[in-house]
Amino acid sequence: MIAIVKYNGGNAVSIQNALYRLGYKSCITNDIRIIQNADKVIFPGVGQASTAMQFLCEHKLDKELRKLTQPFLGICLGMQLMFEWGEEDGGSQGLGIFKGEVKKIEINKF
């Protein structure tokens, strides 16, 4: 079973629908026991980094997600939050699974 981390950020249902079409069983959850026992974990994302991290911390998912040993895929915001820090929305702490910072892409104006 594939656990899709619920943290009140965007596209979890889209991910679940895609997995269903591919023939995989999944569930959207913030229950750490289910996440810990899943074969694989997907950390999707659309939303604001600071709000997402606040939800993860309030539900004690921040500490537990760092301990996972099974395959753990971050998508978009989910991947950004796997780093130590991100510049999005004024700067936000991440989970620190990967060392480094997520930087904004500089756009040159002509």
Side-chain angles (χ1 to χ4, degrees):
M1 197 265 306
I2 300 171
I4 303 167
V5 179
K6 176 185 174 187
Y7 63 99
N8 293 344
N11 62 359
V13 174
S14 297
I15 300 297
Q16 187 174 42
N17 288 337
L19 291 170
Y20 175 78
R21 288 179 135 172
L22 294 169
Y24 293 97
K25 183 179 176 186
S26 66
C27 71
I28 300 169
T29 184
N30 62 4
D31 184 326
I32 194 59
R33 291 169 296 183
I34 293 171
I35 294 169
Q36 289 168 332
N37 291 309
D39 298 318
K40 296 170 181 65
V41 178
I42 297 178
F43 191 23
V46 172
Q48 190 174 35
S50 59
T51 304
M53 279 304 298
Q54 180 180 354
F55 182 91
L56 293 173
C57 292
E58 287 173 358
H59 292 84
K60 297 184 178 34
L61 288 169
D62 57 325
K63 294 177 179 115
E64 297 301 324
L65 291 175
R66 291 181 185 114
K67 299 176 188 177
L68 295 179
T69 57
Q70 68 269 58
F72 185 23
L73 172 66
I75 300 173
C76 197
L77 180 61
M79 182 65 155
Q80 291 177 38
L81 291 176
M82 292 173 117
F83 284 87
E84 295 171 307
W85 180 260
E87 289 185 344
E88 183 185 334
D89 65 50
S92 179
Q93 176 94 17
L95 294 170
I97 294 169
F98 303 126
K99 292 201 178 293
E101 297 180 0
V102 177
K103 302 273 187 179
K104 285 184 182 180
I105 296 174
E106 295 294 327
I107 299 174
N108 294 328
K109 294 184 181 182
F110 295 96

